[in-house]
């Protein structure tokens, strides 16, 4: 039976992405290095937008040079703790779209969401970032109990999340209840053979710039090192995974490979792949985005379930 394509809102959002030329930053290694140099001269702000004040309970603390923001529901008790790691190729700061997503997650779950503003490459590298993030997660798990903690990240933050879960397992003997990955970047080498065919459909990402970002993040490590590219790490003993990705995202190859490898290692995986959706589509103001955000909230509310059914959607088929 034929299925409908993306919603008109998703198609309109795709047109906006094309007009903005978002792929230009990653079109080449030179473009990526130029944007990094520009950000070094004029650092981007990272604080939550003022619009979140009053709608959420917001606090901030410092751990060394890392600001740690906590966002919770304004009027009800949080039933879960979430450690959220933002994307941005390991080079760029958290964006307002991330904060809106986090605020909605905090209210809807309800959850207390901790957002580390981690230092960026090339100033810091995976060898520093992963152990430090695992230390933060270990404290959250010890405070709230492993059954109440969800680890989450999008794009590069998804890669950092998986590497953090592996490091936490190996060095602390701990795991959260569940790890939720949104369009995760899990292999910075970007050399999967299927990515070349997907790249023309991807509205946001291009392999040359991604590879350069991965090189800068790796520092002195091999880009294929599991600290940098956790897809190459071992999956045994990890918490259940929930993974969301779209087919018009070159990183869908990472999500598919992770799902196969984790399931082969006995790790329960809820895999949700949305046809014709772009990178980090759950942030989009579209029916597909709303469906995905509801699914993420569900994963946080019931973190011990091994299977989460995709929510019904009027336009978009989902692949499990």
């Amino acid at each position: 039976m034929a299925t409908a394509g993306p919603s008109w809102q998703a198609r309109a959002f795709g047109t906006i992405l094309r007009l903005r030329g978002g792929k230009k930053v990653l079109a080449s290694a030179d473009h990526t290095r130029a944007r990094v140099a520009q950000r070094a001269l004029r650092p981007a702000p990272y604080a939550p937008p003022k619009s979140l004040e009053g709608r959420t309970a917001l606090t901030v603390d410092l751990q060394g040079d890392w600001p740690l923001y906590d966002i919770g529901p304004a009027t009800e008790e949080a039933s879960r703790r979430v450690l959220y790691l933002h994307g941005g190729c390991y080079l760029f700061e958290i964006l307002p779209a991330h904060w809106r997503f986090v605020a909605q997650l905090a209210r809807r779950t309800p959850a207390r969401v901790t957002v580390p503003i981690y230092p960026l490459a090339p100033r810091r590298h995976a060898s520093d970032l992963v152990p430090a993030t695992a230390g933060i997660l270990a404290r959250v798990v010890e405070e709230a109990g492993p059954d109440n903690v969800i680890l989450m990240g999008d794009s590069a933050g998804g890669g950092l999340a998986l590497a953090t879960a592996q490091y936490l397992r190996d060095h602390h003997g701990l795991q959260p209840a569940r790890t939720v990955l949104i369009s995760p970047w899990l292999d910075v080498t970007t050399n999967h053979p299927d990515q070349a065919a997907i790249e023309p459909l991807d509205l946001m990402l291009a392999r040359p710039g991604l590879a350069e970002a991965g090189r800068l993040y790796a520092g002195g490590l091999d880009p294929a090192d599991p600290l940098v590219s956790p897809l190459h790490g071992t999956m045994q003993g990890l918490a259940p995974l929930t993974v969301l990705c779209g087919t018009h995202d070159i990183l869908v190859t990472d999500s598919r490979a992770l799902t196969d490898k984790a399931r082969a290692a006995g790790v329960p995986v809820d895999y949700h792949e949305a046809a014709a959706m772009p990178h980090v589509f759950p942030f989009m103001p579209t029916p597909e985005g709303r469906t995905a955000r509801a699914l993420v909230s569900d994963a946080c509310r019931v973190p011990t379930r091994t299977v989460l059914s995709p929510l019904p959607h009027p336009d978009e088929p989902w692949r499990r």
Side-chain angles (χ1 to χ4, degrees):
M1 183 175 67
T3 56
S7 65
W8 69 263
Q9 296 97 324
R11 294 194 297 271
F13 195 79
T15 299
I16 292 171
L17 288 176
R18 289 187 190 91
L19 292 175
R20 286 181 175 176
K23 291 183 70 164
K24 185 176 180 180
V25 173
L26 299 173
S28 70
D30 287 343
H31 279 87
T32 301
R33 286 192 297 268
R35 179 56 66 90
V36 170
Q38 181 186 55
R39 285 305 187 197
L41 288 172
R42 294 185 177 85
Y46 56 75
K50 288 185 178 294
S51 60
L52 267 59
E53 297 177 9
R55 298 167 57 202
T56 58
L58 177 63
T59 61
V60 64
D61 198 3
L62 282 177
Q63 177 170 307
D65 61 347
W66 292 36
L68 298 180
Y69 285 90
D70 269 342
I71 296 180
T75 58
E76 58 184 319
E77 186 176 351
S79 60
R80 294 285 184 260
R81 291 286 301 275
V82 177
L83 181 66
Y84 187 84
L85 304 171
H86 72 85
C89 300
Y90 299 111
L91 303 176
F92 307 121
E93 283 293 3
I94 190 170
L95 296 171
H98 291 115
W99 287 119
R100 289 191 293 271
F101 174 82
V102 166
Q104 186 179 89
L105 179 68
R107 295 193 303 267
R108 186 169 190 167
T109 300
R112 177 182 163 196
V113 186
T114 299
V115 183
I117 306 301
Y118 55 85
L120 302 171
R123 183 163 59 94
R124 295 284 284 274
H125 306 113
S127 57
D128 306 312
L129 222 56
V130 174
T133 307
I136 295 171
L137 180 58
R139 281 189 289 278
V140 173
V141 170
E142 289 164 358
E143 289 171 6
D147 290 343
N148 295 313
V149 176
I150 295 89
L151 174 62
M152 187 181 302
D154 75 276
S155 194
L160 178 57
L162 184 61
T164 294
Q166 292 169 343
Y167 193 94
L168 190 76
R169 174 200 61 196
D170 296 341
H171 296 271
H172 296 268
L174 297 170
Q175 281 294 279
R178 180 176 294 275
T179 298
V180 179
L181 306 176
I182 300 168
S183 302
W185 187 25
L186 306 175
D187 183 358
V188 306
T189 65
T190 62
N191 60 9
H192 193 285
D194 292 345
Q195 289 181 339
I198 301 169
E199 190 168 11
L201 304 173
D202 193 312
L203 302 175
M204 301 175 66
L205 303 179
R207 288 178 298 160
L210 278 179
E212 178 63 10
R215 186 188 69 80
L216 294 173
Y217 176 59
L221 295 175
D222 187 323
D225 188 290
L227 275 180
V228 186
S229 295
L231 186 59
H232 298 289
T234 58
M235 305 300 166
Q236 288 85 353
L238 293 180
L241 297 168
T242 295
V243 184
L244 298 89
C245 200
T247 61
H248 287 188
D249 179 349
I250 61 174
L251 301 185
V252 72
T253 58
D254 288 6
S255 291
R256 292 169 179 169
L258 169 66
T259 297
D260 292 343
K261 188 172 182 180
R263 285 175 174 167
V267 177
V269 183
D270 297 317
Y271 181 52
H272 306 275
E273 182 178 296
M277 288 296 103
H279 187 57
V280 293
F281 76 94
F283 294 168
M284 291 166 47
T286 64
E288 294 88 348
R290 286 192 294 275
T291 298
R293 291 192 294 275
L295 194 151
V296 169
S297 294
D298 189 23
C300 292
R301 281 193 298 268
V302 195
T304 56
R305 285 172 61 185
T306 58
V307 176
L308 296 168
S309 298
L311 300 181
H313 190 279
D315 299 306
E316 190 60 40
W318 291 68
R319 167 183 163 184
R320 293 297 300 271

